Amino acid sequence: LLIVFYNKFESIFYLKPFSDKNVYGWLYRVYPEPWQVVWENVKPGKDGSPEVEYVVVATLDKKPSYSDTIGMLMKASQSNK
């Protein structure tokens, strides 16, 4: 009974980092805004140190699965090459 009650709660803040198949990013949400898949685009900076650009690659009404999130990050990574 307690588990059923607990499962009805919705997170007001969610941030989960992803690093798989050589892509990096995270799944982000602040209630009541939609879910966002954010890709970390790492490229060399002017002085040789890495620069990170954060790119929102998807905005969704429902939370995506792990494999869907990785797929979106991989597509963003491949389209940037």
Side-chain angles (χ1 to χ4, degrees):
L1 183 62
L2 183 59
I3 293 173
V4 172
F5 175 74
Y6 180 74
N7 286 337
K8 291 184 180 184
F9 283 95
E10 188 160 1
S11 299
I12 59 168
F13 181 80
Y14 188 91
L15 180 64
K16 179 178 174 95
F18 284 84
S19 61
D20 193 2
K21 299 182 181 178
N22 224 17
V23 293
Y24 302 93
W26 62 76
L27 180 59
Y28 171 79
R29 183 180 190 214
V30 176
Y31 183 85
E33 299 297 321
W35 293 91
Q36 296 180 4
V37 178
V38 181
W39 171 53
E40 292 183 18
N41 181 15
V42 181
K43 50 189 170 184
K46 294 175 185 167
D47 62 354
S49 61
E51 285 185 3
V52 179
E53 175 187 19
Y54 301 103
V55 181
V56 176
V57 297
T59 303
L60 309 154
D61 290 330
K62 293 190 177 190
K63 181 181 176 185
S65 68
Y66 179 88
S67 61
D68 289 342
T69 303
I70 291 297
M72 288 180 245
L73 293 172
M74 288 181 63
K75 184 176 179 181
S77 174
Q78 292 167 355
S79 68
N80 192 51
K81 290 183 178 180

